[in-house]
Amino acid sequence: VQLVESGGGLVQPGGSLRLSCAVSGTTFSIYSMAWSHQAPGKQRELVAVITHSGTTNYPDSVKGRFTISRDNAKNTVYLQMNSLKPEDTGVYYCHLGGTLAGSWGQGTQVTVSS
């Protein structure tokens, strides 16, 4: 299984980014998927989960700002991040299976700073 995250970068507070995670080597459509965030010096935390059927879940910290979606035809999961805050800075990973225990890729760095 291979997961490749992309789309990170430097953005000003209040800005937006769209992350992508391309998955190969498995039957993507049957799995829940998740995005996690690891801030500098802190533990990794889930920020979005989407089931195989498209049901989504978010912690209160990102609810209304982040949106997870998937395209099963492209074996890709996305994370649209709006109204970004400095505390959203860190590395974002996608996880196969919808939990932190699932396989993940190399991550993509997001820096929110003016």
PDB file of all heavy atoms in Angstrom, residues 39-76:
ATOM      1  N   ALA A  39       1.111  18.859  14.957  1.00  0.00           N
ATOM      2  CA  ALA A  39       1.749  20.151  15.182  1.00  0.00           C
ATOM      3  C   ALA A  39       3.150  19.927  15.745  1.00  0.00           C
ATOM      4  O   ALA A  39       3.424  18.881  16.332  1.00  0.00           O
ATOM      5  CB  ALA A  39       0.905  20.978  16.151  1.00  0.00           C
ATOM      6  N   PRO A  40       4.035  20.900  15.574  1.00  0.00           N
ATOM      7  CA  PRO A  40       5.400  20.747  16.084  1.00  0.00           C
ATOM      8  C   PRO A  40       5.421  20.414  17.566  1.00  0.00           C
ATOM      9  O   PRO A  40       4.804  21.122  18.380  1.00  0.00           O
ATOM     10  CB  PRO A  40       6.026  22.126  15.821  1.00  0.00           C
ATOM     11  CG  PRO A  40       5.254  22.664  14.670  1.00  0.00           C
ATOM     12  CD  PRO A  40       3.854  22.171  14.855  1.00  0.00           C
ATOM     13  N   GLY A  41       6.085  19.338  17.915  1.00  0.00           N
ATOM     14  CA  GLY A  41       6.231  18.948  19.304  1.00  0.00           C
ATOM     15  C   GLY A  41       4.995  18.342  19.946  1.00  0.00           C
ATOM     16  O   GLY A  41       4.971  18.123  21.158  1.00  0.00           O
ATOM     17  N   LYS A  42       3.980  18.052  19.148  1.00  0.00           N
ATOM     18  CA  LYS A  42       2.735  17.514  19.706  1.00  0.00           C
ATOM     19  C   LYS A  42       2.384  16.179  19.057  1.00  0.00           C
ATOM     20  O   LYS A  42       2.932  15.801  18.031  1.00  0.00           O
ATOM     21  CB  LYS A  42       1.592  18.509  19.519  1.00  0.00           C
ATOM     22  CG  LYS A  42       1.801  19.813  20.277  1.00  0.00           C
ATOM     23  CD  LYS A  42       0.557  20.675  20.241  1.00  0.00           C
ATOM     24  CE  LYS A  42       0.749  21.937  21.060  1.00  0.00           C
ATOM     25  NZ  LYS A  42      -0.459  22.793  21.051  1.00  0.00           N
ATOM     26  N   GLN A  43       1.431  15.491  19.688  1.00  0.00           N
ATOM     27  CA  GLN A  43       0.982  14.208  19.149  1.00  0.00           C
ATOM     28  C   GLN A  43       0.088  14.416  17.936  1.00  0.00           C
ATOM     29  O   GLN A  43      -0.558  15.449  17.790  1.00  0.00           O
ATOM     30  CB  GLN A  43       0.221  13.439  20.226  1.00  0.00           C
ATOM     31  CG  GLN A  43       1.101  12.915  21.345  1.00  0.00           C
ATOM     32  CD  GLN A  43       0.345  11.995  22.297  1.00  0.00           C
ATOM     33  OE1 GLN A  43      -0.854  12.163  22.500  1.00  0.00           O
ATOM     34  NE2 GLN A  43       1.050  11.028  22.860  1.00  0.00           N
ATOM     35  N   ARG A  44       0.085  13.422  17.107  1.00  0.00           N
ATOM     36  CA  ARG A  44      -0.774  13.434  15.932  1.00  0.00           C
ATOM     37  C   ARG A  44      -2.235  13.327  16.360  1.00  0.00           C
ATOM     38  O   ARG A  44      -2.554  12.547  17.258  1.00  0.00           O
ATOM     39  CB  ARG A  44      -0.388  12.273  15.011  1.00  0.00           C
ATOM     40  CG  ARG A  44      -0.823  12.399  13.601  1.00  0.00           C
ATOM     41  CD  ARG A  44      -0.285  11.241  12.776  1.00  0.00           C
ATOM     42  NE  ARG A  44       1.179  11.227  12.696  1.00  0.00           N
ATOM     43  CZ  ARG A  44       1.847  10.409  11.913  1.00  0.00           C
ATOM     44  NH1 ARG A  44       1.199   9.552  11.123  1.00  0.00           N
ATOM     45  NH2 ARG A  44       3.171  10.435  11.894  1.00  0.00           N
ATOM     46  N   GLU A  45      -3.112  14.103  15.706  1.00  0.00           N
ATOM     47  CA  GLU A  45      -4.540  14.079  16.022  1.00  0.00           C
ATOM     48  C   GLU A  45      -5.353  13.984  14.737  1.00  0.00           C
ATOM     49  O   GLU A  45      -5.012  14.608  13.740  1.00  0.00           O
ATOM     50  CB  GLU A  45      -4.948  15.343  16.774  1.00  0.00           C
ATOM     51  CG  GLU A  45      -4.271  15.543  18.117  1.00  0.00           C
ATOM     52  CD  GLU A  45      -4.708  16.820  18.816  1.00  0.00           C
ATOM     53  OE1 GLU A  45      -5.088  17.774  18.123  1.00  0.00           O
ATOM     54  OE2 GLU A  45      -4.673  16.852  20.057  1.00  0.00           O
ATOM     55  N   LEU A  46      -6.435  13.220  14.813  1.00  0.00           N
ATOM     56  CA  LEU A  46      -7.332  13.140  13.673  1.00  0.00           C
ATOM     57  C   LEU A  46      -8.064  14.471  13.497  1.00  0.00           C
ATOM     58  O   LEU A  46      -8.506  15.065  14.479  1.00  0.00           O
ATOM     59  CB  LEU A  46      -8.358  12.031  13.860  1.00  0.00           C
ATOM     60  CG  LEU A  46      -7.875  10.589  13.703  1.00  0.00           C
ATOM     61  CD1 LEU A  46      -9.017   9.620  13.960  1.00  0.00           C
ATOM     62  CD2 LEU A  46      -7.285  10.351  12.327  1.00  0.00           C
ATOM     63  N   VAL A  47      -8.193  14.900  12.230  1.00  0.00           N
ATOM     64  CA  VAL A  47      -8.948  16.120  11.954  1.00  0.00           C
ATOM     65  C   VAL A  47     -10.129  15.872  11.020  1.00  0.00           C
ATOM     66  O   VAL A  47     -10.980  16.747  10.860  1.00  0.00           O
ATOM     67  CB  VAL A  47      -8.063  17.237  11.380  1.00  0.00           C
ATOM     68  CG1 VAL A  47      -7.039  17.699  12.403  1.00  0.00           C
ATOM     69  CG2 VAL A  47      -7.375  16.808  10.090  1.00  0.00           C
ATOM     70  N   ALA A  48     -10.172  14.723  10.404  1.00  0.00           N
ATOM     71  CA  ALA A  48     -11.298  14.437   9.509  1.00  0.00           C
ATOM     72  C   ALA A  48     -11.309  12.951   9.171  1.00  0.00           C
ATOM     73  O   ALA A  48     -10.244  12.357   8.980  1.00  0.00           O
ATOM     74  CB  ALA A  48     -11.204  15.250   8.223  1.00  0.00           C
ATOM     75  N   VAL A  49     -12.516  12.389   9.127  1.00  0.00           N
ATOM     76  CA  VAL A  49     -12.697  10.992   8.756  1.00  0.00           C
ATOM     77  C   VAL A  49     -13.833  10.905   7.747  1.00  0.00           C
ATOM     78  O   VAL A  49     -14.840  11.608   7.881  1.00  0.00           O
ATOM     79  CB  VAL A  49     -13.035  10.125   9.981  1.00  0.00           C
ATOM     80  CG1 VAL A  49     -13.257   8.675   9.567  1.00  0.00           C
ATOM     81  CG2 VAL A  49     -11.929  10.209  11.029  1.00  0.00           C
ATOM     82  N   ILE A  50     -13.671  10.038   6.774  1.00  0.00           N
ATOM     83  CA  ILE A  50     -14.747   9.769   5.818  1.00  0.00           C
ATOM     84  C   ILE A  50     -14.856   8.260   5.649  1.00  0.00           C
ATOM     85  O   ILE A  50     -13.855   7.576   5.442  1.00  0.00           O
ATOM     86  CB  ILE A  50     -14.515  10.479   4.469  1.00  0.00           C
ATOM     87  CG1 ILE A  50     -15.717  10.303   3.540  1.00  0.00           C
ATOM     88  CG2 ILE A  50     -13.223  10.027   3.796  1.00  0.00           C
ATOM     89  CD1 ILE A  50     -15.703  11.244   2.332  1.00  0.00           C
ATOM     90  N   THR A  51     -16.080   7.746   5.778  1.00  0.00           N
ATOM     91  CA  THR A  51     -16.279   6.305   5.617  1.00  0.00           C
ATOM     92  C   THR A  51     -16.323   5.942   4.135  1.00  0.00           C
ATOM     93  O   THR A  51     -16.343   6.809   3.253  1.00  0.00           O
ATOM     94  CB  THR A  51     -17.585   5.861   6.276  1.00  0.00           C
ATOM     95  OG1 THR A  51     -18.678   6.423   5.543  1.00  0.00           O
ATOM     96  CG2 THR A  51     -17.647   6.312   7.731  1.00  0.00           C
ATOM     97  N   HIS A  52     -16.368   4.638   3.866  1.00  0.00           N
ATOM     98  CA  HIS A  52     -16.411   4.192   2.476  1.00  0.00           C
ATOM     99  C   HIS A  52     -17.679   4.691   1.786  1.00  0.00           C
ATOM    100  O   HIS A  52     -17.687   4.893   0.573  1.00  0.00           O
ATOM    101  CB  HIS A  52     -16.342   2.668   2.402  1.00  0.00           C
ATOM    102  CG  HIS A  52     -17.579   1.983   2.868  1.00  0.00           C
ATOM    103  ND1 HIS A  52     -17.901   1.833   4.201  1.00  0.00           N
ATOM    104  CD2 HIS A  52     -18.594   1.433   2.176  1.00  0.00           C
ATOM    105  CE1 HIS A  52     -19.052   1.201   4.294  1.00  0.00           C
ATOM    106  NE2 HIS A  52     -19.499   0.945   3.095  1.00  0.00           N
ATOM    107  N   SER A  53     -18.725   4.934   2.587  1.00  0.00           N
ATOM    108  CA  SER A  53     -19.996   5.381   2.011  1.00  0.00           C
ATOM    109  C   SER A  53     -20.131   6.898   1.990  1.00  0.00           C
ATOM    110  O   SER A  53     -21.142   7.410   1.513  1.00  0.00           O
ATOM    111  CB  SER A  53     -21.162   4.788   2.792  1.00  0.00           C
ATOM    112  OG  SER A  53     -21.123   5.197   4.134  1.00  0.00           O
ATOM    113  N   GLY A  54     -19.122   7.608   2.509  1.00  0.00           N
ATOM    114  CA  GLY A  54     -19.134   9.061   2.417  1.00  0.00           C
ATOM    115  C   GLY A  54     -19.559   9.801   3.672  1.00  0.00           C
ATOM    116  O   GLY A  54     -19.613  11.030   3.668  1.00  0.00           O
ATOM    117  N   THR A  55     -19.847   9.104   4.745  1.00  0.00           N
ATOM    118  CA  THR A  55     -20.161   9.778   6.008  1.00  0.00           C
ATOM    119  C   THR A  55     -18.895  10.416   6.570  1.00  0.00           C
ATOM    120  O   THR A  55     -17.841   9.787   6.575  1.00  0.00           O
ATOM    121  CB  THR A  55     -20.730   8.785   7.018  1.00  0.00           C
ATOM    122  OG1 THR A  55     -21.915   8.198   6.480  1.00  0.00           O
ATOM    123  CG2 THR A  55     -21.067   9.479   8.330  1.00  0.00           C
ATOM    124  N   THR A  56     -19.019  11.645   7.037  1.00  0.00           N
ATOM    125  CA  THR A  56     -17.844  12.382   7.518  1.00  0.00           C
ATOM    126  C   THR A  56     -17.968  12.720   9.002  1.00  0.00           C
ATOM    127  O   THR A  56     -19.072  12.783   9.554  1.00  0.00           O
ATOM    128  CB  THR A  56     -17.643  13.670   6.718  1.00  0.00           C
ATOM    129  OG1 THR A  56     -18.818  14.501   6.848  1.00  0.00           O
ATOM    130  CG2 THR A  56     -17.405  13.374   5.255  1.00  0.00           C
ATOM    131  N   ASN A  57     -16.820  12.964   9.616  1.00  0.00           N
ATOM    132  CA  ASN A  57     -16.783  13.320  11.027  1.00  0.00           C
ATOM    133  C   ASN A  57     -15.572  14.198  11.270  1.00  0.00           C
ATOM    134  O   ASN A  57     -14.497  13.971  10.676  1.00  0.00           O
ATOM    135  CB  ASN A  57     -16.715  12.069  11.902  1.00  0.00           C
ATOM    136  CG  ASN A  57     -17.028  12.374  13.340  1.00  0.00           C
ATOM    137  OD1 ASN A  57     -17.775  13.296  13.637  1.00  0.00           O
ATOM    138  ND2 ASN A  57     -16.464  11.597  14.246  1.00  0.00           N
ATOM    139  N   TYR A  58     -15.760  15.207  12.140  1.00  0.00           N
ATOM    140  CA  TYR A  58     -14.696  16.163  12.431  1.00  0.00           C
ATOM    141  C   TYR A  58     -14.680  16.490  13.917  1.00  0.00           C
ATOM    142  O   TYR A  58     -15.727  16.541  14.553  1.00  0.00           O
ATOM    143  CB  TYR A  58     -14.926  17.474  11.669  1.00  0.00           C
ATOM    144  CG  TYR A  58     -15.175  17.335  10.189  1.00  0.00           C
ATOM    145  CD1 TYR A  58     -16.473  17.195   9.696  1.00  0.00           C
ATOM    146  CD2 TYR A  58     -14.120  17.356   9.291  1.00  0.00           C
ATOM    147  CE1 TYR A  58     -16.705  17.069   8.341  1.00  0.00           C
ATOM    148  CE2 TYR A  58     -14.344  17.233   7.933  1.00  0.00           C
ATOM    149  CZ  TYR A  58     -15.641  17.090   7.457  1.00  0.00           C
ATOM    150  OH  TYR A  58     -15.872  16.959   6.109  1.00  0.00           O
ATOM    151  N   PRO A  59     -13.518  16.795  14.461  1.00  0.00           N
ATOM    152  CA  PRO A  59     -13.489  17.321  15.833  1.00  0.00           C
ATOM    153  C   PRO A  59     -13.961  18.776  15.815  1.00  0.00           C
ATOM    154  O   PRO A  59     -13.938  19.442  14.756  1.00  0.00           O
ATOM    155  CB  PRO A  59     -12.016  17.217  16.209  1.00  0.00           C
ATOM    156  CG  PRO A  59     -11.283  17.316  14.906  1.00  0.00           C
ATOM    157  CD  PRO A  59     -12.168  16.654  13.909  1.00  0.00           C
ATOM    158  N   ASP A  60     -14.347  19.258  16.974  1.00  0.00           N
ATOM    159  CA  ASP A  60     -14.862  20.627  17.056  1.00  0.00           C
ATOM    160  C   ASP A  60     -13.847  21.663  16.583  1.00  0.00           C
ATOM    161  O   ASP A  60     -14.221  22.725  16.092  1.00  0.00           O
ATOM    162  CB  ASP A  60     -15.275  20.933  18.499  1.00  0.00           C
ATOM    163  CG  ASP A  60     -16.543  20.194  18.902  1.00  0.00           C
ATOM    164  OD1 ASP A  60     -17.275  19.716  18.012  1.00  0.00           O
ATOM    165  OD2 ASP A  60     -16.790  20.103  20.126  1.00  0.00           O
ATOM    166  N   SER A  61     -12.557  21.355  16.733  1.00  0.00           N
ATOM    167  CA  SER A  61     -11.512  22.327  16.402  1.00  0.00           C
ATOM    168  C   SER A  61     -11.490  22.708  14.918  1.00  0.00           C
ATOM    169  O   SER A  61     -10.997  23.788  14.565  1.00  0.00           O
ATOM    170  CB  SER A  61     -10.146  21.791  16.815  1.00  0.00           C
ATOM    171  OG  SER A  61      -9.881  20.550  16.171  1.00  0.00           O
ATOM    172  N   VAL A  62     -11.995  21.839  14.058  1.00  0.00           N
ATOM    173  CA  VAL A  62     -11.963  22.124  12.618  1.00  0.00           C
ATOM    174  C   VAL A  62     -13.347  22.114  11.981  1.00  0.00           C
ATOM    175  O   VAL A  62     -13.475  22.445  10.792  1.00  0.00           O
ATOM    176  CB  VAL A  62     -11.051  21.143  11.856  1.00  0.00           C
ATOM    177  CG1 VAL A  62      -9.667  21.103  12.482  1.00  0.00           C
ATOM    178  CG2 VAL A  62     -11.660  19.758  11.790  1.00  0.00           C
ATOM    179  N   LYS A  63     -14.363  21.757  12.751  1.00  0.00           N
ATOM    180  CA  LYS A  63     -15.715  21.661  12.196  1.00  0.00           C
ATOM    181  C   LYS A  63     -16.139  22.997  11.605  1.00  0.00           C
ATOM    182  O   LYS A  63     -15.979  24.043  12.236  1.00  0.00           O
ATOM    183  CB  LYS A  63     -16.685  21.223  13.289  1.00  0.00           C
ATOM    184  CG  LYS A  63     -18.007  20.659  12.774  1.00  0.00           C
ATOM    185  CD  LYS A  63     -18.808  20.047  13.918  1.00  0.00           C
ATOM    186  CE  LYS A  63     -18.165  18.801  14.454  1.00  0.00           C
ATOM    187  NZ  LYS A  63     -18.967  18.135  15.508  1.00  0.00           N
ATOM    188  N   GLY A  64     -16.648  22.965  10.395  1.00  0.00           N
ATOM    189  CA  GLY A  64     -17.056  24.182   9.710  1.00  0.00           C
ATOM    190  C   GLY A  64     -15.941  24.841   8.910  1.00  0.00           C
ATOM    191  O   GLY A  64     -16.196  25.746   8.102  1.00  0.00           O
ATOM    192  N   ARG A  65     -14.705  24.397   9.127  1.00  0.00           N
ATOM    193  CA  ARG A  65     -13.566  24.961   8.385  1.00  0.00           C
ATOM    194  C   ARG A  65     -12.944  23.945   7.427  1.00  0.00           C
ATOM    195  O   ARG A  65     -12.487  24.322   6.350  1.00  0.00           O
ATOM    196  CB  ARG A  65     -12.488  25.448   9.352  1.00  0.00           C
ATOM    197  CG  ARG A  65     -12.950  26.532  10.306  1.00  0.00           C
ATOM    198  CD  ARG A  65     -11.763  27.136  11.066  1.00  0.00           C
ATOM    199  NE  ARG A  65     -11.045  26.164  11.886  1.00  0.00           N
ATOM    200  CZ  ARG A  65      -9.746  25.888  11.748  1.00  0.00           C
ATOM    201  NH1 ARG A  65      -9.027  26.497  10.827  1.00  0.00           N
ATOM    202  NH2 ARG A  65      -9.172  24.998  12.550  1.00  0.00           N
ATOM    203  N   PHE A  66     -12.911  22.677   7.840  1.00  0.00           N
ATOM    204  CA  PHE A  66     -12.299  21.629   7.036  1.00  0.00           C
ATOM    205  C   PHE A  66     -13.391  20.730   6.445  1.00  0.00           C
ATOM    206  O   PHE A  66     -14.397  20.463   7.100  1.00  0.00           O
ATOM    207  CB  PHE A  66     -11.374  20.760   7.886  1.00  0.00           C
ATOM    208  CG  PHE A  66     -10.094  21.429   8.328  1.00  0.00           C
ATOM    209  CD1 PHE A  66      -9.874  22.780   8.156  1.00  0.00           C
ATOM    210  CD2 PHE A  66      -9.099  20.668   8.939  1.00  0.00           C
ATOM    211  CE1 PHE A  66      -8.704  23.383   8.572  1.00  0.00           C
ATOM    212  CE2 PHE A  66      -7.917  21.247   9.359  1.00  0.00           C
ATOM    213  CZ  PHE A  66      -7.714  22.608   9.181  1.00  0.00           C
ATOM    214  N   THR A  67     -13.133  20.257   5.234  1.00  0.00           N
ATOM    215  CA  THR A  67     -14.046  19.335   4.576  1.00  0.00           C
ATOM    216  C   THR A  67     -13.255  18.210   3.926  1.00  0.00           C
ATOM    217  O   THR A  67     -12.361  18.472   3.116  1.00  0.00           O
ATOM    218  CB  THR A  67     -14.884  20.043   3.501  1.00  0.00           C
ATOM    219  OG1 THR A  67     -15.607  21.131   4.085  1.00  0.00           O
ATOM    220  CG2 THR A  67     -15.874  19.079   2.861  1.00  0.00           C
ATOM    221  N   ILE A  68     -13.591  16.991   4.308  1.00  0.00           N
ATOM    222  CA  ILE A  68     -12.954  15.827   3.704  1.00  0.00           C
ATOM    223  C   ILE A  68     -13.872  15.286   2.618  1.00  0.00           C
ATOM    224  O   ILE A  68     -15.089  15.284   2.765  1.00  0.00           O
ATOM    225  CB  ILE A  68     -12.638  14.750   4.766  1.00  0.00           C
ATOM    226  CG1 ILE A  68     -11.804  13.616   4.178  1.00  0.00           C
ATOM    227  CG2 ILE A  68     -13.915  14.215   5.421  1.00  0.00           C
ATOM    228  CD1 ILE A  68     -11.283  12.625   5.231  1.00  0.00           C
ATOM    229  N   SER A  69     -13.274  14.825   1.534  1.00  0.00           N
ATOM    230  CA  SER A  69     -14.053  14.229   0.444  1.00  0.00           C
ATOM    231  C   SER A  69     -13.198  13.162  -0.222  1.00  0.00           C
ATOM    232  O   SER A  69     -11.998  13.071   0.033  1.00  0.00           O
ATOM    233  CB  SER A  69     -14.479  15.294  -0.572  1.00  0.00           C
ATOM    234  OG  SER A  69     -13.353  15.913  -1.159  1.00  0.00           O
ATOM    235  N   ARG A  70     -13.827  12.353  -1.035  1.00  0.00           N
ATOM    236  CA  ARG A  70     -13.090  11.290  -1.707  1.00  0.00           C
ATOM    237  C   ARG A  70     -13.588  11.114  -3.127  1.00  0.00           C
ATOM    238  O   ARG A  70     -14.748  11.388  -3.430  1.00  0.00           O
ATOM    239  CB  ARG A  70     -13.206   9.981  -0.932  1.00  0.00           C
ATOM    240  CG  ARG A  70     -14.596   9.404  -0.863  1.00  0.00           C
ATOM    241  CD  ARG A  70     -14.661   8.234   0.137  1.00  0.00           C
ATOM    242  NE  ARG A  70     -13.761   7.151  -0.251  1.00  0.00           N
ATOM    243  CZ  ARG A  70     -13.316   6.226   0.601  1.00  0.00           C
ATOM    244  NH1 ARG A  70     -13.681   6.281   1.882  1.00  0.00           N
ATOM    245  NH2 ARG A  70     -12.538   5.259   0.176  1.00  0.00           N
ATOM    246  N   ASP A  71     -12.696  10.652  -3.982  1.00  0.00           N
ATOM    247  CA  ASP A  71     -13.042  10.308  -5.356  1.00  0.00           C
ATOM    248  C   ASP A  71     -12.567   8.875  -5.573  1.00  0.00           C
ATOM    249  O   ASP A  71     -11.375   8.632  -5.783  1.00  0.00           O
ATOM    250  CB  ASP A  71     -12.348  11.268  -6.331  1.00  0.00           C
ATOM    251  CG  ASP A  71     -12.763  11.040  -7.774  1.00  0.00           C
ATOM    252  OD1 ASP A  71     -13.216   9.932  -8.107  1.00  0.00           O
ATOM    253  OD2 ASP A  71     -12.614  11.969  -8.576  1.00  0.00           O
ATOM    254  N   ASN A  72     -13.481   7.936  -5.487  1.00  0.00           N
ATOM    255  CA  ASN A  72     -13.099   6.527  -5.584  1.00  0.00           C
ATOM    256  C   ASN A  72     -12.588   6.162  -6.975  1.00  0.00           C
ATOM    257  O   ASN A  72     -11.794   5.234  -7.121  1.00  0.00           O
ATOM    258  CB  ASN A  72     -14.280   5.638  -5.211  1.00  0.00           C
ATOM    259  CG  ASN A  72     -14.584   5.671  -3.726  1.00  0.00           C
ATOM    260  OD1 ASN A  72     -13.744   6.044  -2.907  1.00  0.00           O
ATOM    261  ND2 ASN A  72     -15.807   5.313  -3.360  1.00  0.00           N
ATOM    262  N   ALA A  73     -13.005   6.901  -7.985  1.00  0.00           N
ATOM    263  CA  ALA A  73     -12.515   6.640  -9.341  1.00  0.00           C
ATOM    264  C   ALA A  73     -11.040   6.995  -9.479  1.00  0.00           C
ATOM    265  O   ALA A  73     -10.329   6.427 -10.323  1.00  0.00           O
ATOM    266  CB  ALA A  73     -13.342   7.411 -10.356  1.00  0.00           C
ATOM    267  N   LYS A  74     -10.592   7.947  -8.656  1.00  0.00           N
ATOM    268  CA  LYS A  74      -9.198   8.384  -8.706  1.00  0.00           C
ATOM    269  C   LYS A  74      -8.376   7.857  -7.530  1.00  0.00           C
ATOM    270  O   LYS A  74      -7.202   8.206  -7.395  1.00  0.00           O
ATOM    271  CB  LYS A  74      -9.131   9.917  -8.720  1.00  0.00           C
ATOM    272  CG  LYS A  74      -9.743  10.540  -9.966  1.00  0.00           C
ATOM    273  CD  LYS A  74      -9.594  12.049  -9.945  1.00  0.00           C
ATOM    274  CE  LYS A  74     -10.161  12.662 -11.219  1.00  0.00           C
ATOM    275  NZ  LYS A  74     -10.029  14.148 -11.218  1.00  0.00           N
ATOM    276  N   ASN A  75      -9.004   7.055  -6.663  1.00  0.00           N
ATOM    277  CA  ASN A  75      -8.310   6.533  -5.477  1.00  0.00           C
ATOM    278  C   ASN A  75      -7.655   7.655  -4.679  1.00  0.00           C
ATOM    279  O   ASN A  75      -6.513   7.546  -4.218  1.00  0.00           O
ATOM    280  CB  ASN A  75      -7.247   5.504  -5.871  1.00  0.00           C
ATOM    281  CG  ASN A  75      -7.833   4.173  -6.276  1.00  0.00           C
ATOM    282  OD1 ASN A  75      -9.052   4.016  -6.339  1.00  0.00           O
ATOM    283  ND2 ASN A  75      -6.989   3.210  -6.564  1.00  0.00           N
ATOM    284  N   THR A  76      -8.399   8.717  -4.495  1.00  0.00           N
ATOM    285  CA  THR A  76      -7.854   9.916  -3.862  1.00  0.00           C
ATOM    286  C   THR A  76      -8.814  10.459  -2.814  1.00  0.00           C
ATOM    287  O   THR A  76     -10.037  10.463  -3.022  1.00  0.00           O
ATOM    288  CB  THR A  76      -7.561  10.995  -4.918  1.00  0.00           C
ATOM    289  OG1 THR A  76      -6.621  10.488  -5.868  1.00  0.00           O
ATOM    290  CG2 THR A  76      -6.977  12.250  -4.277  1.00  0.00           C
TER     291      THR A  76
END
